[in-house]
Amino acid sequence: MKNVIMIIKEQIDNFGIITRVSKYEEKATYQSHYLGLMWQFLNPLIQIGIYYLIFGLGVNGGRNVDGVPFIVWMLIGIIAWFFINTSLLGGSNSIYHKVAMVSKMKFPVSILPGINIMSNLVSYGWMMGILLVVMLGFGIYPTIYWLQYVYYFICMIAFLFAMGILNSTITVLVRDYHIMLQSILRLLFYVSGPIWEIQSRNFPTMLVKILELNPVYYIITGFRESFLSQGWFWEKPTLTLIFWGIVATILIIGTHIHMKFRARFVDFI
């Protein structure tokens, strides 16, 4: 737990640096493009259109899901997935790409995954604005259930931060890990619920229960339950405890490995 407390303290002490560097990275990424930062939401918007044509109109035939228009149901899940996927992949490479530079400066390398998450929040914010407009357009209005969005957002950030510390450290030690992570995320896309409802598939009951233990599925389902007023997170205590148990385990392992090897990151690279 000592390592966990130290890493979290580093994030708090350097929050100003995380914010400033993330803003710089946003501008640097798109500075040579004519549309600039607009690509932060144009890219996912184009992908959403493709997924809706294939899965919404093609596979699903335009039918509603639990009485909700498919486009709304899909948007809630896929916007969260885009943010999670981008943050996991970017976080995995965050230390590998920047450790040589950071080693000459005065802030700890542990904040690099946090900078990556912060950078992706701008695009996520744009997409959430689009989601809000679409939901209002379909007559889905705010209810008291929307308040628990804050809880699931915290769940998402906690999960991404824990994974960022673990993945970024392993990627420095074993470069092939990042490539393997890309393949794992492609599989997770289809079993985490952003584009189809797992319970509606003809999967064995035991397999469905196993898939429900996936932290990404917990987050995506939670966002849907919040925006579509389907239930509270404390109504599924077992899954909630399992989720936070997984996050805590990942964070403990990740911080331990990170603190053990970070003095030698430059040597590994």
Side-chain angles (χ1 to χ4, degrees):
M1 284 300 295
K2 180 181 178 182
N3 291 333
V4 174
I5 295 172
M6 185 179 299
I7 293 294
I8 293 176
K9 186 176 184 298
E10 288 177 349
Q11 312 307 306
I12 296 172
D13 293 343
N14 295 277
F15 185 75
I17 295 176
I18 293 174
T19 304
R20 290 194 296 273
V21 175
S22 65
K23 289 180 180 178
Y24 169 78
E25 289 204 340
E26 291 166 26
K27 296 177 181 178
T29 301
Y30 298 98
Q31 65 179 355
S32 61
H33 298 73
Y34 287 113
L35 296 180
L37 293 176
M38 287 187 66
W39 282 111
Q40 287 190 319
F41 72 92
L42 284 177
N43 257 333
L45 199 60
I46 293 170
Q47 293 183 63
I48 286 171
I50 295 172
Y51 284 126
Y52 179 68
L53 287 175
I54 296 174
F55 294 98
L57 300 180
V59 176
N60 197 57
R63 294 185 296 273
N64 291 352
V65 179
D66 295 331
V68 179
F70 183 84
I71 183 63
V72 175
W73 186 90
M74 185 191 76
L75 274 175
I76 297 173
I78 210 165
I79 289 173
W81 169 258
F82 284 152
F83 178 66
I84 291 171
N85 182 66
T86 304
S87 297
L88 286 176
L89 288 176
S92 175
N93 261 336
S94 59
I95 293 179
Y96 181 84
H97 284 160
K98 299 275 192 321
V99 68
M101 176 189 72
V102 175
S103 63
K104 302 173 184 177
M105 300 182 181
K106 293 184 178 180
F107 57 84
V109 293
S110 68
I111 70 172
L112 293 176
I115 290 173
N116 170 73
I117 295 172
M118 184 73 75
S119 297
N120 293 327
L121 277 175
V122 175
S123 175
Y124 177 72
W126 277 105
M127 298 309 299
M128 288 302 295
I130 293 173
L131 171 62
L132 180 61
V133 171
V134 172
M135 286 194 296
L136 294 176
F138 279 97
I140 299 174
Y141 300 108
T143 67
I144 192 172
Y145 286 93
W146 284 32
L147 293 176
Q148 71 177 346
Y149 167 80
V150 177
Y151 164 75
Y152 284 109
F153 181 79
I154 293 173
C155 288
M156 181 168 65
I157 297 300
F159 171 71
L160 291 176
F161 176 71
M163 289 295 294
I165 294 294
L166 177 65
N167 290 339
S168 60
T169 302
I170 297 178
T171 297
V172 172
L173 304 178
V174 183
R175 186 59 188 149
D176 293 345
Y177 179 78
H178 181 73
I179 299 175
M180 183 181 71
L181 181 63
Q182 290 176 315
S183 300
I184 292 173
L185 287 176
R186 291 191 190 102
L187 173 63
L188 277 179
F189 175 72
Y190 294 100
V191 298
S192 298
I195 54 172
W196 58 34
E197 192 178 26
I198 292 176
Q199 286 86 351
S200 67
R201 305 290 125 182
N202 294 320
F203 295 147
T205 303
M206 183 57 67
L207 178 59
V208 171
K209 290 185 178 298
I210 293 174
L211 294 177
E212 288 178 346
L213 301 180
N214 174 5
V216 178
Y217 177 80
Y218 176 83
I219 294 167
I220 289 177
T221 303
F223 283 142
R224 288 195 176 117
E225 289 177 349
S226 300
F227 287 125
L228 303 179
S229 305
Q230 294 176 340
W232 298 101
F233 70 89
W234 57 75
E235 294 175 353
K236 46 183 183 182
T238 302
L239 291 178
T240 297
L241 289 174
I242 291 174
F243 170 82
W244 285 109
I246 292 174
V247 170
T249 301
I250 294 172
L251 186 59
I252 291 170
I253 295 173
T255 53
H256 173 74
I257 299 175
H258 179 89
M259 296 302 295
K260 182 177 181 179
F261 291 102
R262 77 171 175 180
R264 299 163 53 199
F265 280 164
V266 176
D267 297 334
F268 281 106
I269 293 177

